[in-house]
Amino acid sequence: SFSIIFVFHFFTFRIGMDSCVIPLRHGGLSLVQTTDFFYPLVEDPYMMGRIACANVLSDLYAMGITECDNMLMLLSVSQKMNEKERDQVMPLMMKGFRDAAEEAGTSVTGGQTVINPWIIVGGVASVVCQPNDFIMPDSAVPGDVLVLTKPLGTQVAVNAHQWLDIPEKWNKIKLVISREEVEQAYQEAMLNMATLNRTAAALMHKFNAHAATDITGFGIIGHARNLAQQQKNNVAFVIHNLPIISKMAAISKAGGNLFGLLQGTSSETSGGLLICLPREQAARFCAEMKSSRVGLSGAVGQNGGAGDGQQAWIIGIVEKGNRCARIIDKPRIIEVPYRGSVVSAQEGSHNNASPPEVQLT
């Protein structure tokens, strides 16, 4: 979303923020706004709508904003679709977007629909805030740790699923993963992408986050570098651990360093938040993320909720430096299991709450 809102940044705070922050004339309030859109990447139009909405809202959540006053939906209908396809696909996509917005506590009040060679889906999110409602992404200090709230590997998972029907591509990876595991990874990636980062945004305030961004098209290293460049202090981000959807690292290696997953350049869609937290707060942040009860798209459930919380991992450190970011030569790969694997999930939760000293080996 950086390039999309470049012009807003130039006239407000600085280039590179996830959302534009526009001071209003009235009573110290600011309008915070963001927009984003992309092409469909999953086969289920309803889930694609949910993913698109979650992706737009993540730019607000990256600034610690938990409420959204209004959303608009941007939709492009492909001219290659016949009437029957349009009538089946587009209403489902719109419903998914609206349902995710409702789960986020907001509503879709309008938007724009056009005819285009390709399907495009996205939206605009707006909120009027007081200064203590948002956290400017510029205050990381040496000694902070880096926390990530969703696993990496969505691009690999989605592509591997497509390759099930392309023999020449499937033959390159079939020795490291089964068809059933590809399907499980695809479902896991869809669920992760459709999960809101709202819980993490709320906990950013509770645990005194110093800066954050969401991980999307530039991969984790691209967004880490962008965040590092925004810092007021002379700091550098060093990433030691890469939480990755199970078997996606193996697929990447089998495909000849596919998409640069292990180098941090693989694109993510509606990825997690990368948060700079005080070292003494990070483990408790991860533990509280895990214990929170959330629904499908990440809204905190009422009366116990519908889910089992979200994982989060301590993945690196903030040290003195020249506003750059890097991944160490041999990062620790954390295999994040598909949900339903009881033993692996318990091992994963152990990773969440480990103190920084254990994580950063």
Side-chain angles (χ1 to χ4, degrees):
S1 59
F2 298 130
S3 59
I4 296 170
I5 55 178
F6 177 90
V7 64
F8 295 123
H9 295 151
F10 186 82
F11 290 111
T12 54
F13 280 86
R14 57 170 66 86
I15 296 169
M17 286 168 52
D18 289 301
S19 301
C20 62
V21 181
I22 305 170
L24 301 178
R25 298 186 301 274
H26 314 291
L29 299 175
S30 294
L31 171 65
V32 182
Q33 201 164 44
T34 186
T35 183
D36 209 343
F37 58 86
F38 49 67
Y39 307 108
L41 69 161
V42 299
E43 297 170 354
D44 184 330
Y46 176 79
M47 288 299 290
M48 191 61 243
R50 293 194 76 114
I51 291 166
C53 184
N55 189 65
V56 174
L57 288 167
S58 276
D59 286 335
L60 297 184
Y61 298 147
M63 297 189 70
I65 295 170
T66 59
E67 304 299 330
C68 176
D69 290 333
N70 181 63
M71 293 196 76
L72 304 176
M73 186 177 184
L74 306 175
L75 192 63
S76 167
V77 182
S78 173
Q79 60 193 198
K80 298 177 183 178
M81 301 172 74
N82 60 41
E83 186 175 355
K84 181 179 180 181
E85 289 170 334
R86 287 198 302 269
D87 291 345
Q88 289 178 336
V89 171
M90 306 317 290
L92 285 171
M93 199 173 292
M94 294 171 71
K95 177 173 172 51
F97 194 99
R98 287 196 305 267
D99 285 356
E102 182 178 348
E103 200 163 311
T106 188
S107 59
V108 181
T109 61
Q112 180 72 16
T113 304
V114 298
I115 302 293
N116 197 56
W118 313 278
I119 296 175
I120 298 174
V121 59
V124 179
S126 306
V127 61
V128 175
C129 290
Q130 294 180 332
N132 60 353
D133 290 332
F134 58 88
I135 298 171
M136 293 299 292
D138 59 6
S139 300
V141 297
D144 282 352
V145 297
L146 304 173
V147 169
L148 182 66
T149 66
K150 290 185 188 178
L152 308 172
T154 55
Q155 183 180 32
V156 178
V158 168
N159 278 273
H161 189 258
Q162 294 174 350
W163 296 344
L164 290 173
D165 300 319
I166 307 175
E168 61 268 28
K169 291 187 178 291
W170 171 244
N171 289 337
K172 293 181 180 180
I173 64 172
K174 66 181 182 181
L175 295 180
V176 299
I177 192 168
S178 69
R179 287 179 172 270
E180 181 183 7
E181 288 171 327
V182 168
E183 184 63 40
Q184 288 178 313
Y186 174 71
Q187 296 296 329
E188 182 71 18
M190 265 205 303
L191 184 58
N192 284 331
M193 290 186 287
T195 298
L196 300 181
N197 284 314
R198 193 180 184 192
T199 302
L203 293 179
M204 283 171 60
H205 292 271
K206 182 174 181 178
F207 294 103
N208 303 314
H210 291 151
T213 189
D214 62 325
I215 307 302
T216 51
F218 297 113
I220 189 167
I221 193 62
H223 288 283
R225 285 171 177 160
N226 186 76
L227 185 62
Q229 289 167 4
Q230 297 178 51
Q231 301 311 302
K232 293 183 290 189
N233 298 312
N234 293 322
V235 296
F237 299 163
V238 183
I239 297 172
H240 294 249
N241 305 323
L242 294 175
I244 297 175
I245 297 171
S246 183
K247 295 295 185 76
M248 297 306 99
I251 289 178
S252 182
K253 292 176 183 176
N257 189 29
L258 214 54
F259 306 117
L261 177 62
L262 303 183
Q263 286 69 45
T265 58
S266 184
S267 295
E268 304 293 334
T269 298
S270 189
L273 300 188
L274 178 66
I275 308 171
C276 302
L277 285 166
R279 176 180 286 264
E280 65 275 11
Q281 303 275 32
R284 287 191 294 154
F285 175 96
C286 293
E288 193 147 334
M289 281 285 292
K290 183 63 178 173
S291 64
S292 64
R293 305 287 288 179
V294 297
L296 173 64
S297 287
V300 177
Q302 302 296 319
N303 300 321
D308 297 319
Q310 296 171 252
Q311 287 186 285
W313 300 267
I314 298 168
I315 66 164
I317 58 173
V318 179
E319 61 183 22
K320 291 183 180 179
N322 57 348
R323 298 184 179 87
C324 61
R326 65 182 177 88
I327 299 174
I328 63 172
D329 290 339
K330 294 182 178 180
R332 174 188 173 208
I333 306 302
I334 301 173
E335 293 277 332
V336 180
Y338 319 127
R339 266 157 272 201
S341 175
V342 177
V343 174
S344 296
Q346 289 173 345
E347 293 173 352
S349 66
H350 176 72
N351 287 332
N352 294 347
S354 298
E357 293 77 23
V358 174
Q359 289 286 345
L360 306 177
T361 55

